[in-house]
Each structure stands twice: as structure tokens, then as C-alpha cells.
Amino acid sequence: MVHIWNDPSEVPADFGPSVVTFGNFDGVHRGHQQVLSQLIRVARLNHARAVAITFDPHPAQVHRPESAPELIMGLEDKLVALGEVGLDAVLVMKYSLELASLTPEEFVASVLVGALKASHVVIGHDARFGRGNSGDLDTMQELGRKLGFEVLVISEFGSEGFPLHGEAHDDGGKDRRCSSTWVREALREGDVATAAAVLGRPHRMRGEVVHGAARGRDLGFPTANLASDASGYIPADGIYAGWLVDQAGTRWPAAISVGSNPTFDGVSRQVEAHVIDRPDEAVEDFDLYDQTVVVEFVARLRGMVAYRGPEALVDQMRLDVVQAHNILFAR
């Protein structure tokens, strides 16, 4: 079981030694997983604890909220993903201007060494930390010599089929390093397959199921509508094949709609999932309202289209359900 701490003061006094890394880890993509798996390996070899430090909110939301990136996942899903990697503990540090004002040495001495008793620190070659991002790899190595820990540098990593960037191919393309930016770009285009390749799993949203306009029910395709404050990056408008995981942990195949219902002159964007392949499509025995569910995006079926009336829309929705079934159960 992974330990979750929300402040360095919560770390037990007898904790350690530990192998530590730190970062935002938005998406916990395959590049992050590569770093964390190597951290865990080093921890096991040295009979130490494997620990990741992450920050909430994202530093960009504090320093430049007007241009901060939309997060790939909420904190709850990030902690789930970090726990799945096999870490012993995660320290969630509340990011604030006060924390940002710490010098590199103050941050390392008080948190990595003081609280976590770090014997090894794992970072990337381009890591920056401390006041004004003034700390870098050279800084960390100098602090390691001074404070008594080893620094291990982890190289960049690409997803399967998406190796490191910079190596030109015959077709003129280039490989690319796994990154949160790449995931956001793919989701912005509705390319959930590429997002999944970089993440190492389908992209997820999490939210409470709320009452909508009930148009899906009226058309024979009842949907679970996520609340507007659901966490996770909303992919481009369109229809997707995916899964709905209910509060009990049951995974249901689903056709997922993202958009504003243009056939009915909708305005606000909605994420709604229609569970498919149920023996009885009536919803009376399948009440998800007020449950917190997870929606996973597997493949994009089509873009969002305004149809000439409900009949044409229903015909297309029937085709969408068949296509979603074929994709989900062909895997």
C-alpha cells in the first residue's frame, strides 16, 4: 500500500532511507513511468523506500494562471496512477509562492534530506528546482556531495512505437519524447489512441453523474452525464468507444459523446457515456446518478455532426454502438 502524505511534517520521523524524485507527473505517462520504475529498482537494490514528490496545484496555476495548461488528470487519478507504478510513498506538497521562494538548498535540505532521509535523488538531465528555477543538475550534484546523497540521472524515454525525439526517419519524420504536452496535443485533436500510447493506458476522466436534458433516454440511448467539474482533460468533440467504470469498480463498455449536442442546438460542452451491450436497455435498474465514475477513452469513432432531426441521429447512434462494440471487444 502506498503511503500518501500532504506535508513533509506528516512523514514519520523514522522513515528512510529513501530514493526520491520530484515533479508534476501530470498524466503519469510512460516517460514518468520509466523514471519511476528505475527509481524503484534503485530503492530495492539499496533496501530503501521509493518516494515521489508531486505538487498541487500545478506550479503554472500559481505563477501564470491565465496560461496554465489544462491538466490531463486530477490529483485523485494521479495518486492512483503513481500507486499503480509500485511506489512506497507519495508526498503531495501544496504549491504556493512560499514554497516557490525556497532556494534549491533549502528545498533539498528540508524536504529531500530532512523529511525523507534521501540516500539517492533521481532526476532528469534538464531538471530545474528552487527559487526562480535556479537549481539544475549541477546544483543537485553539488548538494549531493554536501548533504550526503547520490544523484542518478535518468534519460528521456519514448512510448512503445514512439521512441526518443531527434532521430530522423526515411519518411522525414522524427521520433518524440514522451511528454504531458504531447498527450494534451493528441487529446486536443481527439487522437485518444496516440494519447493512450504515450500514457500507457487509456485517457481517463472522473466525475459525478448528474441529471442532463434526458434527450438520450428519450431517443433510447440513456447516458451518464459527467458534472461540469469532472477532472481530466476533455478530448476534442466527437464520439468515442470506451469504458465506464462505476463506483463499485465494474467496467461497462460504452459509446461516449463529447460536445454540445448540435442536433439540438446545444451550447455547453458535455461528456456523456452510453453503456452498451446490456440485456435490458431500460435505465430503471441501472441508476448511476450521484455516483462518481471514471470514463476511459479508447478510440475516436467520428466527429460531432448536426443531423437533420432525431431520426437521422438515432440511425447514426445505432451504428456508433455497433462500431464501439466491435472496437472494444476486438482487443
Side-chain angles (χ1 to χ4, degrees):
M1 176 180 176
V2 61
H3 297 283
I4 306 294
W5 302 308
N6 295 295
D7 189 87
S9 63
E10 297 179 8
V11 181
D14 61 351
F15 183 82
S18 66
V19 180
V20 184
T21 192
F22 55 90
N24 295 311
F25 299 113
D26 187 26
V28 194
H29 54 65
R30 289 174 62 93
H32 295 143
Q33 294 166 34
Q34 168 78 353
V35 172
L36 295 171
S37 65
Q38 293 193 45
L39 177 145
I40 292 167
R41 180 179 61 82
V42 172
R44 300 295 176 259
L45 289 173
N46 289 274
H47 306 289
R49 308 288 187 89
V51 184
I53 300 172
T54 191
F55 305 97
D56 184 62
H58 191 289
Q61 294 175 324
V62 174
H63 293 292
R64 51 180 193 282
E66 70 289 344
S67 61
E70 184 177 349
L71 297 182
I72 297 167
M73 56 172 43
L75 179 60
E76 182 176 355
D77 281 307
K78 182 196 292 188
L79 293 176
V80 169
L82 289 172
E84 289 173 346
V85 173
L87 293 166
D88 295 306
V90 178
L91 171 58
V92 182
M93 296 197 67
K94 181 178 180 180
Y95 195 85
S96 63
L97 294 177
E98 180 181 3
L99 177 61
S101 71
L102 295 179
T103 66
E105 182 166 0
E106 287 171 337
F107 171 71
V108 171
S110 63
V111 181
L112 275 62
V113 176
L116 297 173
K117 312 296 190 301
S119 61
H120 298 74
V121 174
V122 175
I123 62 174
H125 70 89
D126 57 353
R128 309 291 300 196
F129 62 99
R131 183 187 301 162
N133 278 336
S134 57
D136 58 13
L137 175 58
D138 290 339
T139 309
M140 188 65 78
Q141 290 173 330
E142 180 181 343
L143 290 171
R145 290 188 290 270
K146 180 178 180 180
L147 299 174
F149 59 83
E150 290 187 46
V151 177
L152 304 177
V153 183
I154 301 299
S155 60
E156 296 174 329
F157 181 72
S159 70
E160 184 177 356
F162 296 88
L164 293 178
H165 67 83
E167 181 182 345
H169 293 287
D170 293 339
D171 61 4
K174 289 189 175 182
D175 297 327
R176 186 172 181 183
R177 179 178 66 90
C178 284
S179 69
S180 301
T181 297
W182 192 3
V183 175
R184 294 188 194 98
E185 289 176 0
L187 294 175
R188 193 179 305 125
E189 298 298 321
D191 187 358
V192 295
T194 291
V198 181
L199 289 168
R201 64 180 178 280
H203 172 60
R204 302 167 182 164
M205 292 188 65
R206 180 186 298 268
E208 183 180 350
V209 177
V210 298
H211 291 272
R215 290 197 185 99
R217 180 196 297 249
D218 294 341
L219 296 173
F221 295 88
T223 59
N225 299 269
L226 296 190
S228 59
D229 63 353
S231 64
Y233 194 108
I234 303 176
D237 289 2
I239 306 301
Y240 298 85
W243 301 89
L244 182 147
V245 185
D246 65 23
Q247 205 157 273
T250 304
R251 290 169 59 83
W252 301 92
I256 305 160
S257 170
V258 178
S260 55
N261 296 314
T263 302
F264 299 97
D265 298 321
V267 177
S268 61
R269 296 183 78 211
Q270 293 181 317
V271 177
E272 43 191 322
H274 167 66
V275 171
I276 65 176
D277 292 353
R278 297 189 61 250
D280 180 1
E281 284 295 320
V283 295
E284 286 76 8
D285 63 335
F286 192 62
D287 185 0
L288 295 174
Y289 290 123
D290 301 323
Q291 284 194 36
T292 296
V293 302
V294 172
V295 173
E296 298 182 350
F297 298 83
V298 174
R300 190 170 194 247
L301 306 183
R302 61 178 175 88
M304 188 61 68
V305 178
Y307 290 90
R308 293 183 177 180
E311 294 80 7
L313 175 59
V314 167
D315 289 342
Q316 181 61 58
M317 292 169 75
R318 290 195 181 103
L319 295 175
D320 294 337
V321 167
V322 172
Q323 189 177 1
H325 170 91
N326 290 340
I327 289 172
L328 295 173
F329 291 97
R331 294 170 180 264

